[in-house]
Amino acid sequence: MTGAVAPRAGMTISIRTRRDVVVMDPDRFLAAARQALRDRHPGLTDAEAAEAVADVHDAVHAILDRDGALAADAVNGDTARGLLPGTRVSDRPDGLSPAGWLQQVVVDDPQPLQDYGCFLPADPFAVPPTPGG
């Protein structure tokens, strides 16, 4: 842990998160994503959900919109990087194997994302340089 930093007015706090999953069963993954979409939009038919969730990006967003994270139930504060290297979970209903997660708190990013408007910086995940470093 770094030195204590007291909050102050105007301070920007950025949370950078990485969550990895491995697709073990593409059919289960797409089915879980389509169900996530139908959970949020109960009037959709199976065919409409299949059309709306046609690729990995659609599937990820459908699950994120419903759950806030992929394999959200697998996050365990005791194992920040997940299982032993190379170990995969093959029997999850969503067809995914959690493969680790990390979070980083960055204080005093010079500008919050909101203030960029439509024009984000070239790398919105880059950590700002340390003052005097």
Side-chain angles (χ1 to χ4, degrees):
M1 181 175 220
T2 60
V5 177
R8 66 181 183 292
M11 173 185 277
T12 299
I13 302 170
S14 301
I15 311 301
R16 285 158 170 82
T17 301
R18 175 175 172 168
R19 299 183 68 135
D20 292 352
V21 297
V22 176
V23 176
M24 300 299 293
D25 186 320
D27 293 332
R28 282 197 318 233
F29 174 51
L30 287 173
R34 290 168 181 155
Q35 183 59 53
L37 184 66
R38 285 192 305 275
D39 288 349
R40 291 184 48 90
H41 304 282
L44 287 179
T45 66
D46 288 348
E48 290 169 329
E51 184 177 332
V53 178
D55 67 17
V56 70
H57 294 281
D58 298 337
V60 167
H61 286 291
I63 293 172
L64 289 178
D65 287 347
R66 184 189 65 188
D67 300 339
L70 291 178
D73 62 322
V75 174
N76 179 340
D78 297 331
T79 57
R81 284 178 281 222
L83 303 170
L84 292 174
T87 303
R88 302 288 184 253
V89 178
S90 61
D91 60 352
R92 289 178 50 93
D94 60 8
L96 299 174
S97 179
W101 65 274
L102 296 169
Q103 283 187 322
Q104 177 185 27
V105 176
V106 177
V107 177
D108 282 334
D109 203 320
Q111 189 172 351
L113 293 173
Q114 170 187 355
D115 292 351
Y116 286 96
C118 297
F119 305 101
L120 289 175
D123 183 358
F125 294 99
V127 176
T130 307

